[in-house]
Amino acid sequence: MIGAIVDEVLKEMGNATDEGMKTADDYMDAETGLLMCGECHTKKQKKISILGEERIVGCLCRCAAEKLEKEREEHRIKEELLNIQKMKSAGLQDKTFYNYTFERCDASQENAIYAKRYVEHFSEMVQTGQGLLFWGNVGTGKTFLAGCIANALLEQKIPVLMTSFPKILNALGGLYSSERNEYIASLNRYTLLVIDDMGIERESQYTVETIYTVIDERYKSGKPFIITTNIQLDILKKTQDLEHARIYDRIMERCMPVFFGGKNYRSELGQGNRDMARKILTGAKI
């Protein structure tokens, strides 16, 4: 019975060799009697011993093996890119964040250098729970560089969530207490949490309590987080409001402040777009 099964398997292997592997340039080796590849001149057949009997079966020649390995590597890369894309879809809650990459920024800018170094040394930052606080004027590139960090880490398959308190508050709306706790706990599944534009949300007792809970849970998790805000540093350091002070204290303890000043990039971009539109509408040469 076993011999019959072996014969059937060997027959199939032989058929595969004869029908699928042999090409016009292939030839039989005079010494071994085995089929050789006409391209790389390595064996397409080999001898094996089964149940004490020597048989000839098909095998991959060198060029076929290299082709197969190349196809496997291409498939692996495709799967990896797909996984990264899925992670970005889950982690970047605003589609504009997709375009925030270091390739698009001024690499000589001091804050860009800080951001790149943060990515390069991220494993160390994770160990200490060290985050960043990007603060300064409107339109100076805080969100952009935070997005650069998020995208660079996602490319390394590191789980990152980039969101904002308005989005968090919206997601929590209508949830019961246990569901709220589960949602807030889910934020800590990400190795890095980026919260953009803290301070733009409408203030209320509920909002302040929710922001505190999110920051406090992240603080207690020991994982790093990045905050971007237009709130001035002296307010973050010396607020007299106890409810806000307990939020800011946790941020200041874990996040290194990085100031963003100078020109307003968003204003410059808007002016450039307006100038382009004016030239198109008036028929002026571009």
Side-chain angles (χ1 to χ4, degrees):
M1 179 66 178
I2 295 177
I5 294 173
V6 170
D7 286 340
E8 187 64 28
V9 170
L10 292 173
K11 181 180 179 183
E12 290 297 322
M13 293 175 73
N15 289 339
T17 302
D18 294 338
E19 297 171 10
M21 300 178 67
K22 191 173 182 179
T23 65
D25 294 328
D26 292 344
Y27 59 93
M28 302 300 296
D29 182 72
E31 185 178 341
T32 63
L34 298 176
L35 183 66
M36 305 293 289
C37 175
E39 184 176 343
C40 66
H41 306 290
T42 59
K43 296 175 182 178
K44 281 193 169 184
Q45 290 179 329
K46 63 181 180 179
K47 295 178 181 179
I48 63 172
S49 179
I50 297 181
L51 300 177
E53 186 177 346
E54 189 177 78
R55 302 291 184 95
I56 294 177
V57 297
C59 64
L60 292 177
C61 62
R62 186 176 62 238
C63 62
E66 290 173 352
K67 180 181 178 182
L68 180 62
E69 182 59 30
K70 182 180 178 181
E71 290 174 351
R72 285 175 176 169
E73 179 64 12
E74 289 174 351
H75 179 73
R76 185 192 66 77
I77 292 173
K78 188 179 294 185
E79 286 291 312
E80 190 169 292
L81 291 174
L82 182 61
N83 288 334
I84 290 173
Q85 190 60 37
K86 287 179 180 178
M87 289 180 69
K88 285 189 176 184
S89 296
L92 303 177
Q93 294 196 346
D94 189 322
K95 288 185 177 180
T96 58
F97 296 158
Y98 281 64
N99 296 320
Y100 294 173
T101 63
F102 285 117
E103 289 76 13
R104 293 172 175 263
C105 77
D106 180 1
S108 65
Q109 184 193 21
E110 187 176 26
N111 288 345
I113 295 172
Y114 292 156
K116 281 188 175 182
R117 286 176 179 167
Y118 186 80
V119 172
E120 291 168 358
H121 297 274
F122 187 66
S123 60
E124 300 165 47
M125 303 300 173
V126 171
Q127 290 177 6
T128 59
Q130 181 64 58
L132 297 170
L133 171 65
F134 288 171
W135 70 280
N137 301 326
V138 174
T140 50
K142 301 182 297 295
T143 298
F144 177 78
L145 272 185
C148 289
I149 292 173
N151 274 294
L153 293 176
L154 284 165
E155 289 290 341
Q156 298 176 30
K157 295 186 287 187
I158 296 172
V160 178
L161 175 64
M162 185 168 180
T163 185
S164 64
F165 279 122
K167 284 185 171 64
I168 292 173
L169 291 164
N170 185 58
L172 290 171
L175 296 181
Y176 293 107
S177 179
S178 60
E179 294 172 326
R180 282 170 48 83
N181 293 337
E182 287 177 8
Y183 176 82
I184 292 173
S186 74
L187 301 178
N188 291 331
R189 295 173 188 165
Y190 296 88
T191 308
L192 177 66
L193 176 64
V194 181
I195 299 179
D196 186 43
D197 265 349
M198 183 183 74
I200 65 166
E201 59 279 342
R202 185 177 297 176
E203 291 261 330
S204 69
Q205 187 66 32
Y206 168 77
T207 299
V208 174
E209 288 177 358
T210 302
I211 292 173
Y212 169 74
T213 301
V214 171
I215 293 297
D216 186 54
E217 288 298 316
R218 189 68 185 184
Y219 175 89
K220 289 187 293 188
S221 76
K223 293 183 177 181
F225 56 100
I226 294 175
I227 301 288
T228 77
T229 184
N230 300 328
I231 302 173
Q232 295 301 299
L233 191 62
D234 58 346
I235 295 176
L236 292 167
K237 285 182 174 180
K238 300 178 181 179
T239 182
Q240 301 300 311
D241 179 357
L242 182 60
E243 292 181 330
H244 286 84
R246 61 180 187 163
I247 295 172
Y248 299 159
D249 283 350
R250 284 160 174 76
I251 293 173
M252 295 304 299
E253 182 179 335
R254 286 289 177 80
C255 300
M256 185 186 81
V258 179
F259 174 63
F260 283 71
K263 60 185 179 181
N264 187 319
Y265 292 99
R266 192 177 300 143
S267 176
E268 287 188 356
L269 177 61
Q271 183 62 48
N273 290 339
R274 287 192 294 273
D275 290 344
M276 177 66 73
R278 186 179 297 111
K279 289 177 180 178
I280 292 173
L281 294 174
T282 58
K285 290 184 177 180
I286 300 176

